[in-house]
């Protein structure tokens, strides 16, 4: 089972590895990313990988800017392994209390996470926590597109 410290180390390494490259993200997440042909367009090329037994991440989606994109870099979405227990308190302790919150609307699915958004020099780090008693970190979005 991976630890909270290992997750933060992986996150730091991914942040430092920008611009996001498919092979590098695959190596750092332990997931083999392959082109998602159904969702690739001129703006972004989408690559996906999954492994239900992944130590840190069970799924990843990388959106790399394509020829028609105006974004300087892409978006990396990571689904955190259920075996990794990271709470909002641990994140605040590590990253600080300066964050914005995105709360799901009533129209969103019941399992839509609550996001803590941290502004970084390279973009936004969004950390999605499950709603309810456990409040476990379930999703991570590194958005380096430069869009608000």
């Amino acid at each position: 089972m991976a630890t909270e410290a290992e997750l933060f180390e992986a996150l730091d390494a991914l942040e430092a590895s920008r611009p996001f490259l498919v092979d590098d993200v695959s190596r750092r997440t332990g997931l083999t990313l392959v082109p998602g042909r159904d969702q690739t367009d001129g703006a972004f090329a989408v690559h996906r990988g999954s492994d239900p037994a992944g130590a840190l991440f069970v799924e990843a989606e990388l959106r790399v800017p394509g020829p028609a994109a105006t974004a300087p870099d892409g978006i990396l979405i990571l689904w955190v392994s259920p075996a990794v227990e990271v709470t909002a308190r641990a994140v605040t302790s590590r990253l600080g209390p300066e964050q914005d919150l995105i709360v799901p609307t009533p129209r969103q699915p019941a399992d839509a996470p609550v996001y803590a958004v941290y502004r970084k020099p390279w973009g936004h780090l969004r950390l999605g926590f499950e709603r309810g008693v456990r409040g476990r970190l379930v999703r991570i979005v590194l958005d380096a597109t430069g869009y608000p």
Side-chain angles (χ1 to χ4, degrees):
M1 179 168 78
T3 66
E4 177 183 302
E6 289 171 313
L7 184 117
F8 283 125
E9 287 172 21
L11 188 56
D12 290 343
L14 286 162
E15 282 186 44
S17 72
R18 291 171 304 89
F20 298 127
L21 303 173
V22 174
D23 290 342
D24 191 47
V25 170
S26 289
R27 184 175 52 79
R28 292 179 187 279
T29 62
L31 302 171
T32 302
L33 300 181
V34 297
R37 302 196 191 284
D38 61 329
Q39 302 229 340
T40 296
D41 59 22
F44 287 95
V46 178
H47 301 267
R48 290 193 176 92
S50 65
D51 178 358
L56 286 174
F57 309 111
V58 293
E59 190 174 341
E61 178 175 302
L62 176 60
R63 300 175 189 173
V64 179
T70 58
D73 198 356
I75 299 172
L76 176 58
I77 306 168
L78 301 164
W79 284 259
V80 178
S81 168
V84 180
E85 291 286 332
V86 177
T87 64
R89 177 173 284 151
V91 167
T92 301
S93 175
R94 167 87 179 206
L95 300 176
E98 297 300 318
Q99 58 183 268
D100 296 323
L101 283 181
I102 300 174
V103 179
T105 67
R107 285 181 256 212
Q108 288 181 281
D111 63 348
V114 173
Y115 282 94
V117 182
Y118 288 89
R119 297 179 194 279
K120 300 283 194 165
W122 50 263
H124 295 92
L125 172 63
R126 296 182 184 97
L127 303 170
F129 297 90
E130 67 183 359
R131 294 186 269 179
V133 177
R134 287 180 54 201
R136 182 182 69 80
L137 179 64
V138 293
R139 198 166 305 144
I140 300 169
V141 179
L142 295 100
D143 182 347
T145 60
Y147 303 130

